Amino acid sequence: MNKWMMTAAGLFFVTTGVHVFLGGPEIHVPIQESDLHPAVRAVGAVVWHAVTVMLLVFGAGCVWLARNPNAPMAWLMIATQLGFVGLFIGYGVVLLGNLTVMPQWIIFGLISAVIAMGVRADKAPAPRTVTA
């Protein structure tokens, strides 16, 4: 079993919990309780829950990758996470003038690195056993 992929899965599941239980009250609930047009609130809800689904599916994907190496699938997951890194950094700098208001780029970058280590571990030669 690939321990790097299991670690990435754990990071995804922890991130899901943070997203739902901390981000929900801080971000999602205020958007839903705002005076924004109902269509805007609906799109916000769909996007919010789509992120939840993505985090759970990618966590499950990493569990699967732990036993079934698939480099293209892993690199697709990395590319998606790096896309999130770019979005959080870009909007943080451009709209907010700093990276501390939206630090989510850190966890997505970390998850990308851990998955990459898992891909690397899958390519490593198997340890040789010595028999007498």
Side-chain angles (χ1 to χ4, degrees):
M1 178 182 342
N2 187 316
K3 293 176 183 172
W4 290 103
M5 292 302 183
M6 287 304 290
T7 300
L11 289 170
F12 271 121
F13 294 137
V14 168
T15 302
T16 302
V18 171
H19 172 74
V20 171
F21 296 109
L22 297 178
E26 181 183 351
I27 305 297
H28 179 62
V29 172
I31 290 171
Q32 295 309 307
E33 292 176 348
S34 74
D35 290 332
L36 291 169
H37 189 278
V40 174
R41 290 195 319 267
V43 169
V46 168
V47 171
W48 183 266
H49 295 301
V51 169
T52 306
V53 169
M54 186 275 317
L55 291 168
L56 290 172
V57 169
F58 277 23
C62 285
V63 170
W64 186 84
L65 286 172
R67 294 192 181 271
N68 304 283
N70 183 319
M73 180 177 162
W75 286 112
L76 178 64
M77 293 170 74
I78 290 169
T80 303
Q81 301 317 299
L82 292 178
F84 288 151
V85 168
L87 290 167
F88 279 109
I89 289 175
Y91 281 97
V93 169
V94 172
L95 294 180
L96 304 173
N98 67 68
L99 298 176
T100 60
V101 175
M102 296 191 304
Q104 292 90 331
W105 60 273
I106 297 169
I107 190 63
F108 292 121
L110 176 62
I111 292 171
S112 297
V114 172
I115 294 172
M117 292 302 295
V119 172
R120 184 175 182 214
D122 286 335
K123 291 183 180 183
R128 295 176 18 166
T129 57
V130 178
T131 56

